Amino acid sequence: MNFNLHTHTRFSDGTSEPERYVEEAMKQDFLVLGFSDHSPVPFENSFALKEKNLPVYCRAIRELQKKYSATSSAEKNLEILMGIEVDFIPGMTVSFEELRRRYRFDYLIGSVHLVHDGINDGLWFIDGPDISIYDDGIQKIFGGDGRKAVTAYYRQVQEMISEHSPDIIGHMDKVKMYNRGRYFSETDKWYVGLADETLDLISGCGAVVEVNTRGLYKKRSDSLFPGPEILKNILRRNIPVTLSSDAHKPEELSLLFEESRQTLIQLGFKSHWVLKQGNWKEFAL
């Protein structure tokens, strides 16, 4: 039984019209498909929704909801949700509550892709296909200090959780993506401490943590987001998880889902969660 709440279309940095993802989801007998294009950010970029296109995006997804709710009973099993992935940058991006109020999203994914240095308005881009941008950011913005850079990342994630309470925490440890042991170790005491502080906040606000497969299938990470040690601590805290592919193409909707379910089972997880008919539902792995 597949579902995916992290999906990008041509409205942000995905490749295809939303309906193409719906068609693929139906082929795969999906239970729920949630769209979550990147929210607008206040500078020129190639990955986020343009402010003027936000109402157009919402209208397109709502129209798909209406269209597919009127199809035959055999096809009614697919529920389509309208979400958004909110890129949180302190002092620069719009409040989560304002987005909820204005556009009535079914859910919000809170994510950090651009890390603010807290001093000179420098932004470290930790995502994308080019590892040199990741390296340049650590060198130029944080003076090559991996601990300083990672601490800034986790503090920003923590601020997002504390101030905005997203429904889903997106790729919680994405800061590790291009690291691969070069700048820091995920077993360092300070790193573990930052991750644990973040999990404490997540536990307190009731958010769901996504288990994101994209880093693995794009071969940009050696483990899921989040990795096994953080997942063990998530399990200890009884924080719910939802499996997502962070799809940017229709054919990516369920990539590595079966392998990731097996990983979760081996770690001790028995279930994962999905938003359905307005409530979080638990499904056995």
Side-chain angles (χ1 to χ4, degrees):
M1 187 176 291
N2 282 334
F3 43 79
N4 182 52
L5 298 178
H6 198 152
T7 311
H8 297 281
T9 74
R10 62 93 177 166
F11 280 101
S12 60
D13 58 348
T15 62
S16 303
E17 293 289 338
E19 192 160 13
R20 280 284 298 109
Y21 297 84
V22 174
E23 292 166 352
E24 181 61 32
M26 291 173 64
K27 286 180 185 176
Q28 296 187 36
D29 296 322
F30 263 52
L31 182 69
V32 177
L33 174 63
F35 289 98
S36 58
D37 276 300
H38 290 283
S39 63
V41 291
F43 49 82
E44 192 62 34
N45 67 89
S46 61
F47 62 86
L49 271 159
K50 304 298 182 188
E51 188 74 42
K52 66 179 181 180
N53 289 334
L54 191 46
V56 183
Y57 163 73
C58 293
R59 189 161 53 248
I61 305 306
R62 292 303 187 201
E63 287 175 356
L64 284 175
Q65 288 177 324
K66 292 177 184 177
K67 176 178 179 178
Y68 285 89
S69 68
T71 56
S72 71
S73 59
E75 295 173 336
K76 276 187 179 178
N77 292 325
L78 176 66
E79 182 176 0
I80 298 168
L81 300 179
M82 185 183 80
I84 194 164
E85 183 177 18
V86 188
D87 284 87
F88 174 68
I89 310 170
M92 296 183 69
T93 48
V94 68
S95 77
F96 287 40
E97 192 54 42
E98 182 177 344
L99 285 170
R100 289 184 197 277
R101 180 182 57 79
R102 289 178 63 190
Y103 298 103
R104 302 178 68 85
F105 288 107
D106 297 318
Y107 64 95
L108 302 181
I109 300 175
S111 297
V112 170
H113 300 91
L114 294 127
V115 182
H116 195 283
D117 67 357
I119 302 172
N120 301 311
D121 290 333
L123 291 176
W124 174 35
F125 187 45
I126 64 169
D127 202 358
D130 189 350
I131 190 173
S132 67
I133 295 175
Y134 180 96
D135 289 345
D136 285 350
I138 290 183
Q139 296 300 329
K140 294 176 181 177
I141 298 174
F142 296 100
D145 187 334
R147 180 171 180 172
K148 185 177 179 181
V150 171
T151 299
Y153 169 81
Y154 274 110
R155 294 292 180 233
Q156 190 167 317
V157 173
Q158 291 165 8
E159 182 178 348
M160 175 186 73
I161 295 165
S162 298
E163 294 189 2
H164 299 285
S165 298
D167 302 295
I168 301 170
I169 308 302
H171 40 63
M172 175 187 148
D173 63 349
K174 195 163 194 175
V175 70
K176 75 184 182 190
M177 184 165 77
Y178 284 128
N179 175 56
R180 290 181 162 157
R182 295 181 302 140
Y183 296 102
F184 59 90
S185 170
E186 294 168 63
T187 61
D188 286 338
K189 186 175 181 180
W190 64 266
Y191 184 95
V192 174
L194 287 168
D196 282 348
E197 288 173 11
T198 307
L199 292 178
D200 287 340
L201 290 172
I202 293 170
S203 182
C205 81
V208 174
V209 172
E210 74 161 359
V211 178
N212 185 310
T213 67
R214 185 169 178 80
L216 277 176
Y217 70 73
K218 295 296 287 186
K219 303 188 188 311
R220 296 173 186 167
S221 175
D222 297 325
S223 61
L224 292 164
F225 302 132
E229 293 307 312
I230 292 178
L231 284 169
K232 290 176 187 176
N233 288 330
I234 286 172
L235 183 61
R236 291 190 193 103
R237 287 171 169 82
N238 293 314
I239 296 171
V241 297
T242 187
L243 188 59
S244 81
S245 67
D246 199 345
H248 288 60
K249 302 176 182 179
E251 58 267 29
E252 294 175 348
L253 277 179
S254 61
L255 282 185
L256 295 187
F257 271 20
E258 184 54 40
E259 295 88 340
S260 298
R261 277 193 281 262
Q262 291 305 313
T263 296
L264 290 172
I265 290 169
Q266 290 166 10
L267 290 171
F269 287 86
K270 300 192 182 305
S271 63
H272 57 156
W273 296 71
V274 70
L275 191 61
K276 185 164 176 57
Q277 298 176 336
N279 295 296
W280 285 99
K281 308 286 187 183
E282 186 177 15
F283 290 88
L285 284 163

